[in-house]
Amino acid sequence: MPTQLVDKYGRIHDYLRISVTDRCNLRCVYCMPEEGMTFEPDHRILRYEEITEVVKALAPLGVRKLRITGGEPLVRKGLDRLIAMLSAIPGIEDIALSTNGIYLAAFAPALKEAGLTRVNISLDSLVPERYARITGGGDVSKVLKGLQASRLAGFHPIKLNVVLMKGVNDDEVESFLRMTLEQPIHIRFIEYMPVGYEGAGWKAGYMPLTHVLETCERLGLPYTATREVYGNGPAESYRLEGAAGTFGLIHPVSDHFCGSCNRLRLTADGNIKPCLYWADEYQVRKHIGDPAAIAALFMKALDAKPETHEMARALSGERMSHAPTLRRMSQIGG
Ligand code: SAM
Ligand code: SF4
């Protein structure tokens, strides 16, 4: 039995993203359609004990870092119980959470206590009406309270994820950058990805992240590259002169980082996804109770992992080498 999850391109996989639900209390325009979504019935969602068993099978193969995601993970009851179960597994060093932050103020202390190490909060606008429009009715003041509560609970670094969309929030880059002057947070600008669909809405909203550094230059805000941001991500990071926090650019479409991909994904309904973009999946549930079979299935998934995704081809309309996933982002976990 190998001791590491290495694919045929030599990429070592030590990071598992675990989606705990496909449900959400918001409906972000780029993630989930307002209507027409069907959700998995409860009996098809992996139980916390089953998720823990999967991670126990992978820790001996070098999986060290976990991210809990969704849907919105905090809509699932007792998430702190899962965090406590996962943090007790020998070898697991880092457990991060991706959340929209709406319920975070209530849960941050219990999650910290259970062993959660970091939080990423998604926040695409600081303007209340616009935030509500992007998220299908969300209240931005709750997210800001969640951010504050996370800081008080002692999470560090706290990262804010901002999906940049042309004509939607591209005029707020300055406001987000200025947040880093005062607050020790890391703002990650993320390119809008054509995952699950690549309709006219995506093409109209997509913009490359060169816009962020151009904004710094236009405003005369000096910045330098920095390597000090802790995490698993592929962001290239910068600090504005004199700033308490930092900002990063994640550009999966315009300049992919597949060569250094270290991640695997487990969907809420128990499918291993070796790549975010492609349709390829492997159902793990039938192997629960057999750690060797779970590990073998992950190896099989890894063996089939393509060298790269081809999201950029969705822009140009070129033919793809594999079939893209039909899952929406909320059904994968980002
Ligand atoms: N509900 C949680 C949240 O919003 O953080 C976790 C799940 S969400 C699917 C994970 C991340 O995916 C969020 O940061 C979200 O902004 C991002 N995301 C969703 N759809 C996206 C898209 N089409 N392009 C880029 N990022 C996307
Ligand atoms: Fe929900 Fe997160 Fe998707 Fe927004 S991005 S709809 S908060 S899962």
Side-chain angles (χ1 to χ4, degrees), residues 23-28 30-32 70-72 100 122 329-330:
R23 293 171 194 253
C24 188
N25 49 345
L26 299 181
R27 292 287 180 276
C28 300
Y30 48 71
C31 182
M32 209 198 275
E72 171 49 39
N100 59 36
S122 299
M329 206 64 131
S330 58

Side-chain angles (χ1 to χ4, degrees), residues 271-288:
N271 281 288
I272 304 166
K273 276 189 74 64
C275 176
L276 170 69
Y277 191 57
W278 301 121
D280 220 20
E281 297 189 353
Y282 301 79
Q283 178 53 249
V284 82
R285 188 189 284 101
K286 55 181 179 278
H287 299 300
I288 297 290

Side-chain angles (χ1 to χ4, degrees), residues 205-228:
Y206 171 77
M207 65 186 304
L209 296 183
T210 41
H211 175 64
V212 176
L213 297 183
E214 283 162 11
T215 302
C216 293
E217 272 140 36
R218 183 171 51 78
L219 297 170
L221 291 171
Y223 60 89
T224 45
T226 173
R227 290 187 152 271
E228 68 195 89

Side-chain angles (χ1 to χ4, degrees), residues 165-167 192 199-207:
M165 290 166 283
K166 198 192 309 175
Y192 185 3
W202 171 70
K203 280 192 186 159
Y206 171 77
M207 65 186 304

